[in-house]
């Protein structure tokens, strides 16, 4: 059975993109948090994104934050077998555990080795905010 409702799906895609209708100011859809809340073990991603099947557990939600050793063990090469992120939202970092002192998480997580290039003053919020004087 396929769940399909044109209006709901269109509205949800807009909301996910940060341009949907929400009366609350500065409301952002956090894809990482959503994934961890509703697919904590990553089974849904593993089903539909076979390139990431070798990544165990919740680490599948943030493959770019894994160490090169963990990626290699999973058979993932960022930029070759799976794309690097185009944008990383600052709010996502709350959901990527890091140990004090910047040492890698025991399961191999760490900050992005190569953060995606972004214009100095133009995060994704620049394009969707009402103020364009930046």
């Amino acid at each position: 059975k396929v769940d399909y409702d044109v209006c709901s799906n269109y509205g949800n895609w807009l909301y996910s993109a940060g341009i949907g209708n929400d009366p609350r100011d500065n409301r952002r859809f956090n894809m990482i948090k959503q994934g961890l809340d509703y697919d904590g073990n990553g089974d849904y991603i593993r089903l539909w994104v076979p390139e990431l099947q070798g990544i165990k557990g919740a680490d599948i939600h943030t493959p770019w934050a894994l160490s090169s050793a963990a990626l290699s063990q999973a058979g993932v090469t960022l930029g070759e077998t799976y794309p690097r992120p185009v944008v990383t939202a600052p709010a996502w970092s709350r959901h990527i555990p890091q140990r004090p002192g910047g040492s890698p998480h025991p399961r191999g997580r760490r900050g992005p080795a190569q953060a995606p290039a972004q214009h100095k003053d133009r995060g994704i919020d620049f394009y969707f905010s009402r103020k364009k004087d930046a």
Side-chain angles (χ1 to χ4, degrees):
K1 180 179 175 185
V2 175
D3 179 16
Y4 183 70
D5 178 342
V6 176
C7 296
S8 292
N9 288 347
Y10 189 70
N12 286 332
W13 279 109
L14 288 173
Y15 184 74
S16 297
I19 57 175
N21 186 16
D22 193 329
R24 295 165 283 195
D25 225 7
N26 294 321
R27 178 89 167 161
R28 303 287 186 274
F29 182 79
N30 189 324
M31 291 176 279
I32 305 305
K33 180 184 184 310
Q34 188 82 0
L36 292 170
D37 286 351
Y38 294 99
D39 185 31
N41 195 41
D43 296 332
Y44 184 83
I45 294 175
R46 225 168 266 105
L47 175 67
W48 294 104
V49 186
E51 298 85 357
L52 299 180
Q53 285 183 354
I55 297 176
K56 305 295 181 213
D59 286 337
I60 199 167
H61 294 286
T62 54
W64 64 87
L66 294 172
S67 68
S68 55
L71 287 170
S72 178
Q73 184 178 7
V76 176
T77 305
L78 293 179
E80 292 180 26
T81 61
Y82 189 77
R84 295 183 185 279
V86 175
V87 174
T88 55
W92 295 353
S93 64
R94 289 183 287 190
H95 305 287
I96 304 172
Q98 291 185 359
R99 296 177 64 167
S103 60
H105 187 276
R107 290 182 298 180
R109 288 183 177 185
R110 62 184 173 85
Q114 290 180 317
Q118 293 183 2
H119 186 281
K120 180 181 165 203
D121 299 319
R122 294 186 182 177
I124 194 151
D125 294 335
F126 170 83
Y127 298 99
F128 299 111
S129 69
R130 293 182 201 130
K131 300 175 192 170
K132 300 290 188 208
D133 54 339

